[in-house]
Amino acid sequence: MGYMLYSISFLFLILATGLYLGRNRWTHLVPIPDYVYNRLPSSFSNDIEAGFTSGDFDLHTNVVAGDSRRGLDQRGKREVQKIMKSRKIGFDEARRVYMEQSFANNNIGLDGRPRDPKFVSFS
């Protein structure tokens, strides 16, 4: 029994060492999300410092008014930041792309009207 435990421990040590030494060959295959390394801000003032504001989407008034909320939606910020990094576009454009994707996921047309064939609108 002791021989089996020793053999398994030795095999595990050899395997772990091999994986550690060859990590440059396999670590790129492991899916690691970008947001693990970048902590997103959790207040409006930190959102402003992170670049999540613009002339069309002004957060300065929230800070001046003393808004006590925690800032923008974490999931939305993460998605907008991903779009900004991958497409190399600014905040306003990334926010527009995010909203278009959100509309498409919820079956809403670009004009803001539902694409549901049963939808009836009275105007």
Side-chain angles (χ1 to χ4, degrees):
M1 186 67 176
Y3 180 72
M4 287 290 285
L5 182 62
Y6 174 75
S7 298
I8 291 172
S9 299
F10 186 70
L11 182 63
F12 176 75
L13 182 65
I14 296 295
L15 181 66
T17 303
L19 286 172
Y20 178 75
L21 293 175
R23 68 185 180 273
N24 292 334
R25 294 181 181 247
W26 61 267
T27 52
H28 69 279
L29 300 173
V30 178
I32 299 175
D34 294 336
Y35 61 86
V36 170
Y37 297 108
N38 298 334
R39 293 204 85 152
L40 292 172
S42 61
S43 70
F44 285 119
S45 58
N46 291 340
D47 289 339
I48 292 170
E49 291 174 9
F52 292 116
T53 188
S54 67
D56 296 327
F57 190 78
D58 188 24
L59 294 177
H60 295 287
T61 54
N62 293 16
V63 174
V64 171
D67 198 338
S68 62
R69 292 179 291 173
R70 296 192 51 183
L72 301 174
D73 176 41
Q74 294 292 327
R75 185 176 48 94
K77 280 192 289 191
R78 190 175 300 124
E79 291 297 321
V80 168
Q81 189 176 39
K82 231 188 272 187
I83 293 169
M84 288 170 68
K85 285 182 180 179
S86 66
R87 297 187 185 190
K88 308 247 187 294
I89 55 178
F91 176 68
D92 283 331
E93 185 68 16
R95 194 167 52 95
R96 184 189 63 79
V97 169
Y98 172 72
M99 287 307 299
E100 286 177 355
Q101 289 175 353
S102 177
F103 282 175
N105 291 341
N106 292 312
N107 204 18
I108 299 173
L110 292 176
D111 57 354
R113 286 188 266 164
R115 291 189 210 154
D116 187 5
K118 298 176 187 175
F119 174 71
V120 177
S121 173
F122 301 102
S123 54

